[in-house]
Amino acid sequence: MTMWLLWGIGAIAGLMLVLQAWIWLQARRMRGRPAPDTAHVDGAAAAERVRVYYFYGAHCGHCRSMTPLVDRLRASHHNLIKLDIADAHDLAQAFGVAATPGLVQVVDGVIRRVQLGGMSEARLLTLLSA
């Protein structure tokens, strides 16, 4: 009985690792592709060469810790666009964001980077100024 329990736990852990790898690879594949139409969410950032889209979820723990940083940076960086995944699910899917928080850097209409998970202020500023 104990052996079957260990095998079951191992199988679940392995499945979780495969799922994580699949999500990461899906996000990585988006690099170099044309960005989907974002005119309806860009607002003041529409004229910016570099735009960063921040996808978050209201019930996401990592998002709750990262959103105050994003809100603070948005005051001085109009090219940082904050989107609730519940309201912009189709856009998140078009960008390849399968987890929150998710950040997508678009340069000249081309997806340059999809970052899933949290990010430090220094790395976020680097994305914004690329």
Side-chain angles (χ1 to χ4, degrees):
M1 180 72 170
T2 305
M3 188 62 134
W4 287 107
L5 181 63
L6 291 175
W7 277 103
I9 291 171
I12 291 170
L15 183 62
M16 290 177 69
L17 286 173
V18 168
L19 180 62
Q20 288 291 325
W22 180 79
I23 289 170
W24 180 80
L25 286 172
Q26 182 180 346
R28 188 164 168 84
R29 279 190 356 207
M30 295 306 292
R31 288 185 188 177
R33 293 189 180 189
D37 181 22
T38 57
H40 62 286
V41 297
D42 285 343
E48 298 286 337
R49 181 177 163 263
V50 177
R51 292 185 305 277
V52 175
Y53 298 89
Y54 169 65
F55 292 94
Y56 71 97
H59 294 71
C60 166
H62 291 293
C63 299
R64 282 191 294 244
S65 64
M66 192 165 164
T67 298
L69 167 65
V70 169
D71 288 337
R72 185 168 46 84
L73 290 177
R74 287 184 69 213
S76 58
H77 294 85
H78 300 290
N79 60 335
L80 180 56
I81 300 149
K82 179 179 162 186
L83 300 164
D84 188 341
I85 196 86
D87 298 332
H89 178 72
D90 292 338
L91 188 57
Q93 190 174 21
F95 272 123
V97 174
T100 57
L103 291 130
V104 180
Q105 180 192 48
V106 175
V107 179
D108 295 327
V110 176
I111 298 170
R112 293 291 175 214
R113 184 168 184 185
V114 177
Q115 170 73 39
L116 303 177
M119 183 179 282
S120 69
E121 181 175 358
R123 289 184 67 195
L124 183 52
L125 287 171
T126 301
L127 277 181
L128 289 165
S129 63

